[in-house]
Amino acid sequence: MSATRIAKLSDLAESLLFDSPEHVTRFDRQTGRMVMVERWILSALEEGQDERVASAPQWQREEVEIARAMCEDSGERFIEGPSKFDFHEYRQMEKFIGSLGDTDAADQLWRAIKGKGAFRHFKDTLHRLGLQDQWHRHRDEAMKAFLIAWAQENQVPYEDDTKGRLL
């Protein structure tokens, strides 16, 4: 296997947004990019059901070839990418609230994240308090640190192409 290509932090961040149960997402060391294939395509190829994917439309041909490469890979080319479940955005919301100097705003945000609809209530409360920009800076810094740690742990060279904002 040749050296791992350089990953862009913005690509890694996007993969956190587009995590889907219908798709399998992996980091491709050969291209330095996150790749996504439909789970049914990968399953069909893993089960030797090539005839199921033979009828895939032309626009999915590249995806089928990536899935074939994933099936043939021994874990050197394709690796698990960063996961939104490992990032723990709820925990980041708690850290953000804990960092606020304004105790009234912090109290309102603590109440907002308790119970059902925590993410929606948090965003609504941020908006009402005018703290969206401060939250976005906090979340972006935390996500950037998370992605850099993932890259280092997986020996993936990276380029910080974010220019301040990840998402």
Side-chain angles (χ1 to χ4, degrees):
M1 178 102 235
S2 60
T4 301
R5 294 271 177 118
I6 296 174
K8 293 183 178 183
L9 288 184
S10 61
D11 290 341
L12 297 176
E14 277 185 27
S15 75
L16 296 178
L17 285 178
F18 299 112
D19 194 17
S20 159
E22 294 88 28
H23 293 86
V24 174
T25 306
R26 298 284 183 269
F27 178 75
D28 183 349
R29 290 181 180 278
Q30 186 176 337
T31 64
R33 306 226 17 144
M34 295 300 297
V35 293
M36 183 184 305
V37 298
E38 287 191 49
R39 195 169 294 282
W40 76 266
I41 293 173
L42 189 60
S43 294
L45 291 171
E46 287 173 339
E47 296 167 10
Q49 300 173 351
D50 289 25
E51 68 282 353
R52 279 185 61 204
V53 297
S55 62
Q58 185 63 36
W59 61 268
Q60 269 188 317
R61 289 289 164 211
E62 182 180 1
E63 186 177 349
V64 169
E65 292 312 310
I66 291 169
R68 280 189 205 287
M70 284 180 172
C71 289
E72 296 168 2
D73 184 48
S74 63
E76 291 181 27
R77 177 176 172 185
F78 297 99
I79 60 172
E80 290 281 336
S83 163
K84 70 179 179 182
F85 298 108
D86 293 332
F87 178 62
H88 302 292
E89 189 158 355
Y90 187 87
R91 190 170 303 143
Q92 295 306 323
M93 294 184 329
E94 292 176 322
K95 288 180 180 181
F96 173 73
I97 295 168
S99 74
L100 292 175
D102 181 339
T103 56
D104 182 51
D107 288 343
Q108 291 180 56
L109 287 165
W110 280 122
R111 283 192 302 276
I113 66 170
K114 300 300 177 202
K116 190 173 181 166
F119 288 90
R120 169 58 39 212
H121 293 300
F122 178 76
K123 289 179 182 180
D124 290 346
T125 305
L126 281 175
H127 181 71
R128 189 170 37 78
L129 296 171
L131 296 172
Q132 313 93 303
D133 289 343
Q134 194 173 338
W135 158 246
H136 289 298
R137 279 191 304 277
H138 172 87
R139 185 199 58 200
D140 284 354
E141 288 171 13
M143 187 176 293
K144 186 174 180 177
F146 167 76
L147 294 171
I148 289 170
W150 175 88
Q152 291 171 340
E153 180 179 313
N154 289 282
Q155 300 168 357
V156 172
Y158 64 90
E159 170 190 346
D160 183 357
D161 65 331
T162 61
K163 299 186 179 32
R165 279 299 295 264
L166 281 171
L167 304 174

